[in-house]
Structure formats: C-alpha cells, structure tokens
Amino acid sequence: MKWAEISIQTSHEATEAVAEIFHELGASGVLIEDPELVNDYIHSGAWDYTDIPLAEETDIVTVKAWLPTDETLPNKMEQLRLHIDELSQFFEKDCGTINCCEIQDEDWANNWKQYFHPEKIGEKIVVKPSWEEYTPVNDEIVIEIDPGMAFGTGTHATTSMCVQFLEEYVKPGMDVFDVGTGSGILAITAAKLGAKNIQAADYDPVAVDVAKENIAVNHEDDHIAIFQSDLLKNMTGKADVIIANIIADIIIRMFDDVDTKLNPHGVILTSGIIADRIPEVIEKAEQKGFVVDKMNEKAGWAAIIFRRKEDMQ
C-alpha cells in the first residue's frame, strides 16, 4: 500500500491541536519533531556524547502523519486545510504550512522508529521501544511501549511532566483513573509505581487496542482495566488520582464530572495544556471547587495538579 506522508510546520502552541486533527482524520501514527526539546535534552547532560548540533531555529515544530492514498485522501486533505485555517483564526496567526509526499508502506512502517529510543523521563521511569534493548540501572523502572497508531511515547513534554508528577503522587494501593490513555503509558506508569486498581479509557477504539497490547507486554493486566469511554462516563467507583493528559478544551469539559469520581483528598493530574489556556482551565476548576496544588511548565506546555479547595485549608 502507498501512503501520503503529510507534514505541517506549526507553532509550539498549536502542536497538540494539529496532532489531534490528524488523529481525527484517521492518521496512522503522528510524529512530533520539536527542535526545542532536542536542545533541552542536549543541555540536560543525559547523553554522554552526541554529535547532534543545537538547533538555531526553535520556533517551528513539525508534525507528521500518514494517511492511505485512497479515494478518501482528497476529502481528508480538504478537511485538514479547513481545520488549520480554523486554528489560525483561533491563535490569530498562521498555524501551519502543509506538505505532502507519497511513500511505500514499508517506509512508513519503520521511518518514525528512528526517532524513538530508550529515554529516562522521570526520577525512575525509563521508556523504551519494544525493538530496543535496555538494562536498568539502580532503581530504574523500565516501561516498554510500542505506540502503534496511538499517541504517547513519553518523549513529549506533556507526557514526561505527567510521569514526573505520578512518581510524586502515586502511592502503593491507590486507585487511578487514566482518561484518554492513548498508548497506555501513564496507566502503566501508575501500575509500576504501586497503584492497585487502574481504569484506563480512551474514546478511540484503536488507542484502546494499542493500550491493551502495551499493558500485556508490561505484565500489568491484573492491575489495569482498559476500555472505551467518553472521558469519565464509563469509569466505575472513585479514584485517588485522576489523570487527564488531553487538551484544554476536553479537560474543561471533564471538570463537570470529576467531583463524583474522586475520592476524598484525591488529586487530578491534568496535562496537554498550552500556556495560553492555563487561566481557562484554572477558572473552570475553581468553579467546580478545585484549586491548583502544583504546576509545572515545559516547552510551552503545562501540567497541573488540582485538589479540592477544602483539602488546601
């Protein structure tokens, strides 16, 4: 089969929204090339040696996706252009230059893998792809992930900040809900950190299938239930930690239901929030009786821990 490789050069603020548009169009995989993240990693000292030069231009992020070159492609390309135009109006600046080229199936199947290698994204958590070997050092916890057609390798700022917060907030025996689980990486992280019962859900059935495979590979089937759900709708009981690494608009909608799904003294971990949308998310949370417990920002993104207002007094 032949595939159309579509790349959009966009801004940091619009990256997550562009990736979500690709997913809605049925893209078979999304790859985000962010030169700012590469620079951050080079400066971090995590590599003993690298010959990758520092990027001089860090304002442009390239988002790539792959669509089959069939009779549906022209319509999907038109939808893509309309969505990008809408984003440009929302952000009041150009949000993307679209480029398209045709590649063979075997090229697409392996092309993106060159960008995904073992990486330590928390104090203990190391994420590695299934096709590479890695020997843990000291108390490192290794999670094996094959993102397939779902979003979530752990390398994006939104996911890595979530992992770091999970290391801080998840305690053995806790109940955890993972909303919009994607590849299942955050649910698996919670399980590896000792959470006892985890419900992980995604609206996309393809993501659910990918997450099931990753959960099985990491031997966490006994601790994680994975299913399709619109946000918290199909979650049963209550959780000590609710994870929502999605986008601001969806997080805002989710806050209508979180109070009935969160245990006393529980926390909500939200991420995927571009910096400009932080005030809107906080405003909605406060309307529902929640306040900020802690917030981290990285590469134009924010991850926020919320608690009930009475728990902060």
Side-chain angles (χ1 to χ4, degrees), residues 51-216:
D51 58 0
I52 300 175
L54 283 170
E56 296 181 3
E57 175 58 65
T58 60
D59 292 336
I60 303 300
V61 179
T62 301
V63 184
K64 291 184 178 180
W66 294 264
L67 293 170
T69 54
D70 56 20
E71 67 278 0
T72 68
L73 182 61
N75 182 53
K76 288 180 178 179
M77 291 298 295
E78 181 60 26
Q79 291 182 54
L80 178 61
R81 292 187 183 92
L82 291 173
H83 283 309
I84 295 301
D85 287 344
E86 290 174 355
L87 276 185
S88 299
Q89 293 176 21
F90 177 80
F91 287 107
E92 296 183 344
K93 63 180 178 179
D94 186 9
C95 283
T97 301
I98 303 172
N99 295 294
C100 182
C101 65
E102 189 177 272
I103 61 173
Q104 296 294 326
D105 184 25
E106 58 269 19
D107 296 332
W108 168 78
N110 296 291
N111 200 29
W112 64 275
K113 291 182 178 180
Q114 65 182 299
Y115 301 96
F116 184 20
H117 303 287
E119 182 170 343
K120 192 170 185 179
I121 59 174
E123 289 294 322
K124 298 180 179 180
I125 301 297
V126 175
V127 176
K128 84 170 193 71
S130 57
W131 55 89
E132 291 207 8
E133 297 296 325
Y134 183 84
T135 302
V137 178
N138 299 324
D139 60 348
E140 288 181 341
I141 298 171
V142 178
I143 297 175
E144 188 167 299
I145 291 291
D146 185 348
M149 296 183 187
F151 180 77
T153 63
T155 58
H156 195 271
T158 59
T159 309
S160 61
M161 286 189 293
C162 281
V163 167
Q164 291 157 14
F165 269 144
L166 289 175
E167 288 181 325
E168 180 178 353
Y169 283 86
V170 170
K171 308 300 179 185
M174 280 187 167
D175 293 334
V176 175
F177 292 168
D178 182 17
V179 180
T181 193
S183 66
I185 183 173
L186 298 180
I188 296 167
T189 297
K192 296 293 186 185
L193 293 171
K196 185 177 181 181
N197 297 304
I198 302 159
Q199 295 178 48
D202 203 289
Y203 188 76
D204 181 0
V206 174
V208 172
D209 290 339
V210 170
K212 282 181 181 177
E213 294 176 4
N214 286 324
I215 290 165

Side-chain angles (χ1 to χ4, degrees), residues 6-7 22 43 45-46 49 66 68 104 157 201 225 235 249 254 277:
I6 305 160
S7 63
F22 275 133
H43 287 307
Y49 170 79
W66 294 264
Q104 296 294 326
M235 304 290 196
D249 288 329
M254 186 191 71
R277 304 295 302 279

Side-chain angles (χ1 to χ4, degrees), residues 7-45:
S7 63
I8 297 181
Q9 292 186 310
T10 190
S11 63
H12 288 282
E13 295 85 353
T15 298
E16 195 74 9
V18 171
E20 184 62 26
I21 290 169
F22 275 133
H23 283 304
E24 290 177 357
L25 292 175
S28 297
V30 175
L31 174 68
I32 297 173
E33 298 176 355
D34 187 341
E36 188 172 88
L37 292 182
V38 175
N39 284 0
D40 288 346
Y41 204 71
I42 292 172
H43 287 307
S44 72

